[in-house]
Amino acid sequence: QVHLVESGGGLVQAGGSLRLSCAASGRTFIIHAMAWFRQAPGKEREFVAAINWSGGSTNYADSVKGRFTISRDNAKNTVYLQMNSLKPEDTAIYYCAASLTARPYIWGYKRGDFDFWGQGTQVTVSS
């Protein structure tokens, strides 16, 4: 099993920045990729960014490209999401997820590939 705990959410003004963290524990050696998803009120959970756990290749949703950066620290078993130039439409609960599935390319991962999820952290961007 893998346990994920997110932190770093909060309230920020439009144009500001936040950095989310996701600490993984348990059988982390079986993780192949990690990702961030988000869910706004009344909307479905959507993909934000993903990172390959070993090689570090990344993939982003078009809506966050150029503003968000996903990274990982394998020594700390932690994944980060640096969010810059935040917009009110980025307001959502952000979830960290871990996949035990090995895919050849990071852009090949789908939501159904992710086996473990954190409890989520709220990000609110005021206009």
Side-chain angles (χ1 to χ4, degrees):
Q1 294 292 321
V2 175
H3 186 56
L4 304 173
V5 178
E6 303 99 333
S7 61
L11 173 64
V12 64
Q13 288 187 332
S17 299
L18 281 176
R19 188 176 83 154
L20 305 183
S21 299
C22 174
S25 60
R27 301 181 67 194
T28 57
F29 59 91
I30 61 177
I31 296 174
H32 284 280
M34 292 190 70
W36 289 94
F37 289 77
R38 67 187 181 185
Q39 188 166 17
K43 295 187 177 181
E44 292 190 357
R45 192 170 299 189
E46 65 174 3
F47 168 77
V48 175
I51 188 165
N52 178 279
W53 193 240
S54 58
S57 56
T58 58
N59 186 35
Y60 297 91
D62 288 342
S63 59
V64 306
K65 280 182 182 177
R67 300 188 298 122
F68 291 11
T69 302
I70 188 171
S71 61
R72 89 254 189 263
D73 184 333
N74 293 76
K76 295 182 178 179
N77 290 324
T78 299
V79 172
Y80 305 97
L81 185 68
Q82 178 66 44
M83 306 185 294
N84 298 328
S85 302
L86 282 161
K87 304 175 182 180
E89 51 264 44
D90 294 318
T91 295
I93 298 175
Y94 283 70
Y95 297 91
C96 174
S99 174
L100 309 185
T101 301
R103 295 203 178 279
Y105 303 105
I106 190 63
W107 54 87
Y109 282 87
K110 307 301 180 186
R111 177 180 168 181
D113 291 327
F114 291 88
D115 307 280
F116 298 98
W117 295 80
Q119 81 289 349
T121 185
Q122 176 71 47
V123 172
T124 303
V125 184
S126 63
S127 58

